[in-house]
Amino acid sequence: MFKDLKIFIYELPSEYNENWLSNKRCSNHLFASEVAIHRALLNADDFRTFDPNEADLFFVPVYVSCNFSTVNGFPTIVHARSLLFSAIQFITKNYPFWNRSQGFDHIFVASHDYGACFHAMEDRAIDNGIPEFLMNSILLQTFGVNYKHPCQDVENVLIPPYISPESIRKNLEKAPLAGNRDIMVFFRGKMEVHPKNVSGKFYSKRVRTEIWRRYKGDRRFYLQRHRFTGYQSEITRSVFCLCPLGWAPWSPRLVESVALGCVPVIIADGIRLPFSSAVKWSEISLTVAEREVGKLGQILEHVAATNLSTIQKNLWDPAVRRALLFNDHMQRGDATWQILTSLYKKLNRSYRRSRVPSQ
């Protein structure tokens, strides 16, 4: 359906991408879509061109999420702006294609909390804004809301966070989708009993704290506050999986829940979800307003007694899982395929096509 789409991938010096892969986490954490998309495009022979003069779009492969903190292990992205700007300087010096369109037909990945605003805290992200040098380009980003926001005020394609397809496959081999699910409601993650005031903001807007306070003793809810490497096996045992906001509205739990057949319960007001043309979110998930967290038990009991089987039937469609997972070699309908579908709709940004005389 988009076989005439041609993408040129810049060959950048290794300090922009390959060197970061010395840390194995670089290709396997929640921001790793920047690596996964690059790999998939490198292998996409039908769409990749080695001749930049016949390219519609230009992909700039910079890994900015692999600088892990030695203090807490989390990715630090303070260097993101300077690394990306340096990459643009390199391609400007060595190729003519950025300057002729001012980056209008160039693609970057911004797989972080607030996309190309490059900060985990919303107020700081808004203050920083999207770098001016990226404002003309196309951003593939995990952040999206259904209202005006400075961190999505740029041409963008909303993408899912990265979850290893291999880990999903292994867990489904052990516990099939329609297997026994003995946990009614599941959440494992950060739930502060006394959330800290960080510049006037509270983690998860106190939503996770309220979930813990109200349901920690409820036998229907399996709530855990500490890390567990095998937590995906807990998802396969669960009927409903809570997906509350953290600092940002999106969470990798959303993809894990869908891929492992647990009905995602989205608690993040205004969140925009990826690939809505391929994934009918209203048919496979539940959305609960942040202010309605106190009614979670009642809401989920009602769904369990009425239309749960219909939701599960829709959720367990293999095409839904496929659409949210990245593969090194693109598969029809997978996450990279969905991105290319979206990019194909943006061919009005192709400088080459704009120069072709109409017949």
Side-chain angles (χ1 to χ4, degrees), residues 91-107:
I91 62 178
T92 300
K93 180 180 178 180
N94 292 278
Y95 301 88
F97 308 107
W98 176 274
N99 281 341
R100 74 179 185 183
S101 71
Q102 295 301 303
F104 194 69
D105 49 5
H106 283 57
I107 306 165

Side-chain angles (χ1 to χ4, degrees), residues 326-344:
F326 294 97
N327 299 284
D328 284 353
H329 292 268
M330 185 180 69
Q331 299 175 11
R332 184 180 182 89
D334 75 359
T336 306
W337 178 279
Q338 304 301 335
I339 289 171
L340 291 181
T341 301
S342 297
L343 291 175
Y344 190 72

Side-chain angles (χ1 to χ4, degrees), residues 277-296:
S277 61
V279 179
K280 306 302 180 187
W281 289 101
S282 63
E283 298 177 5
I284 66 165
S285 65
L286 304 174
T287 299
V288 176
E290 294 165 15
R291 67 178 182 278
E292 299 291 323
V293 163
K295 300 178 183 178
L296 261 179

Side-chain angles (χ1 to χ4, degrees), residues 197-210:
N197 184 328
V198 182
S199 303
K201 305 290 183 180
F202 293 90
Y203 184 68
S204 190
K205 299 180 184 176
R206 293 198 180 105
V207 167
R208 297 191 188 190
T209 298
E210 186 67 6

Side-chain angles (χ1 to χ4, degrees), residues 176-233:
L177 290 175
N180 180 41
R181 294 184 179 265
D182 60 320
I183 298 171
M184 180 177 173
V185 187
F186 172 68
F187 179 79
R188 180 182 287 276
K190 184 177 181 180
M191 289 180 285
E192 295 177 317
V193 179
H194 303 291
K196 302 176 184 65
N197 184 328
V198 182
S199 303
K201 305 290 183 180
F202 293 90
Y203 184 68
S204 190
K205 299 180 184 176
R206 293 198 180 105
V207 167
R208 297 191 188 190
T209 298
E210 186 67 6
I211 291 171
W212 176 256
R213 188 180 71 81
R214 285 182 175 266
Y215 300 109
K216 63 181 178 181
D218 191 319
R219 295 180 64 181
R220 298 169 299 177
F221 287 72
Y222 182 68
L223 305 176
Q224 299 293 324
R225 297 174 56 215
H226 303 291
R227 293 177 180 272
F228 170 50
T229 55
Y231 78 101
Q232 285 188 353
S233 64

